[in-house]
Amino acid sequence: RSVGIIGAPFSKGQSKDGVECAPNKLRAAGLLDRLQQQGCAVKDYGNLTFENVALDEPVNGSKSVRTVGSANQRLSEAVKAVKRDGHTAMILGGDHSLAIGSIHGHTAAVGPVSVVWVDAHADINTPLTSNTGNVHGQPMSYLLYELQSKLPPLPNFSWMKPCVSSRDLVYIGLRDVDPAEHYIMKLLAVKAFCMTQVDQLGMARVMEETCDYLWDRAKKPIHLSYDIDAIDPSITPATGTPAVGGLTYREGVYITEYLYQTGLLSAVDMVEVNPLRGRTEDDVRSTVSTAVDLLLGCFGRRREGNHPPDYSLP
Ligand SMILES: N[C@@H](CC/C=C/[B-](O)(O)O)C(=O)O
Ligand SMILES: [Mn+2]
Ligand SMILES: [Mn+2]
Ligand SMILES: [Mn+2]
């Protein structure tokens, strides 16, 4: 396994400062060393630098659209390059508007992908349905072929084209979905395992059904977009839009172990960790270390234990 890490210190898809600090915070928590210790070849591509577009007035209510567009264009190029280098891509956010560039760049390199979106939120508002104007609640509407007719012209987004079909998307962990988002998901028959289904089925069944559904026609590379707020805020409070009743640490990790063993994991986003949103240092530590453990699970860490293939007893 080889991983190419891209830091995307970006916050303009929402309004709470701090989420741009997460890439370095995750590295400082030992992410790279632990990946190497579990047998991963690691290439750190560093942090992208993003330009702040001046006078970035709201467009149809959406905030910082030009800045978000320019950032995602850069991210798309970076993810494409990492994939072309032959690595599994790991994108460290930053807010969830980054999924626009991450998934766009991924499909530009490998073709159509299956998207597993782990989140308390559907992030599928269009610019016109959003109540907040925050683009981190909209990325899926930019990406889906089926919603293109519902997008107004968006400055600094002419570089991108839709690249995900609603049939190739599965949500896990939903519990805070806006009415317009719910309508869109029913209209497009998007597969979703909200927290009710997680309770009813258990995570093992959820993951089996997720993969059966995604592989109904063909097995495609998997793009896992992991919003840390999918996990219950008692475990990961340092995030911008916490919602009670979330995934346990164990359920969150199970998702990563399951997807790792499919051998199809091709890119992973870890987004919305916001070190400034923890009330205590322990809040931040718990959030960051959970995010690190989730990422390690995506790259082969197993709770049963691991040992190097060439290990021999002394
Ligand atoms: N649905 C809300 C919440 C968005 C949440 C975004 B997040 O999932 O990326 O944290 C909105 O549209 O502003
Ligand atoms: Mn390389
Ligand atoms: Mn999200
Ligand atoms: Mn969320």
Side-chain angles (χ1 to χ4, degrees), residues 43 45 85 87:
K43 168 153 187 181
Y45 287 71
D85 271 359
H87 307 292

PDB file of all heavy atoms in Angstrom, residues 43 45 85 87, ligand 2:
ATOM      1  N   LYS A  43       4.009   9.127   0.985  1.00  0.00           N
ATOM      2  CA  LYS A  43       4.578  10.325   0.357  1.00  0.00           C
ATOM      3  C   LYS A  43       3.708  11.509   0.760  1.00  0.00           C
ATOM      4  O   LYS A  43       2.503  11.524   0.479  1.00  0.00           O
ATOM      5  CB  LYS A  43       4.613  10.188  -1.158  1.00  0.00           C
ATOM      6  CG  LYS A  43       4.929  11.545  -1.812  1.00  0.00           C
ATOM      7  CD  LYS A  43       5.596  11.462  -3.127  1.00  0.00           C
ATOM      8  CE  LYS A  43       6.006  12.879  -3.575  1.00  0.00           C
ATOM      9  NZ  LYS A  43       6.665  12.872  -4.889  1.00  0.00           N
ATOM     10  N   TYR A  45       2.727  15.113   0.126  1.00  0.00           N
ATOM     11  CA  TYR A  45       2.805  16.156  -0.910  1.00  0.00           C
ATOM     12  C   TYR A  45       2.698  17.555  -0.304  1.00  0.00           C
ATOM     13  O   TYR A  45       2.663  18.549  -1.024  1.00  0.00           O
ATOM     14  CB  TYR A  45       1.705  15.949  -1.953  1.00  0.00           C
ATOM     15  CG  TYR A  45       1.948  14.774  -2.871  1.00  0.00           C
ATOM     16  CD1 TYR A  45       1.843  13.450  -2.409  1.00  0.00           C
ATOM     17  CD2 TYR A  45       2.308  14.972  -4.202  1.00  0.00           C
ATOM     18  CE1 TYR A  45       2.070  12.376  -3.248  1.00  0.00           C
ATOM     19  CE2 TYR A  45       2.529  13.894  -5.057  1.00  0.00           C
ATOM     20  CZ  TYR A  45       2.416  12.601  -4.561  1.00  0.00           C
ATOM     21  OH  TYR A  45       2.654  11.535  -5.399  1.00  0.00           O
ATOM     22  N   ASP A  85       0.503   9.287  -9.774  1.00  0.00           N
ATOM     23  CA  ASP A  85       1.727   8.760  -9.169  1.00  0.00           C
ATOM     24  C   ASP A  85       1.524   7.348  -8.641  1.00  0.00           C
ATOM     25  O   ASP A  85       2.451   6.728  -8.146  1.00  0.00           O
ATOM     26  CB  ASP A  85       2.172   9.668  -8.003  1.00  0.00           C
ATOM     27  CG  ASP A  85       3.079  10.787  -8.467  1.00  0.00           C
ATOM     28  OD1 ASP A  85       3.380  10.850  -9.676  1.00  0.00           O
ATOM     29  OD2 ASP A  85       3.477  11.605  -7.624  1.00  0.00           O
ATOM     30  N   HIS A  87      -0.586   6.375  -6.110  1.00  0.00           N
ATOM     31  CA  HIS A  87      -0.873   6.233  -4.678  1.00  0.00           C
ATOM     32  C   HIS A  87      -2.373   6.209  -4.432  1.00  0.00           C
ATOM     33  O   HIS A  87      -3.164   6.715  -5.244  1.00  0.00           O
ATOM     34  CB  HIS A  87      -0.292   7.419  -3.899  1.00  0.00           C
ATOM     35  CG  HIS A  87       1.148   7.673  -4.158  1.00  0.00           C
ATOM     36  ND1 HIS A  87       2.136   6.820  -3.761  1.00  0.00           N
ATOM     37  CD2 HIS A  87       1.766   8.694  -4.807  1.00  0.00           C
ATOM     38  CE1 HIS A  87       3.306   7.308  -4.126  1.00  0.00           C
ATOM     39  NE2 HIS A  87       3.103   8.438  -4.770  1.00  0.00           N
TER      40      HIS A  87
HETATM   41 MN    MN B   2       5.348   8.914  -5.840  1.00  0.00          MN
END
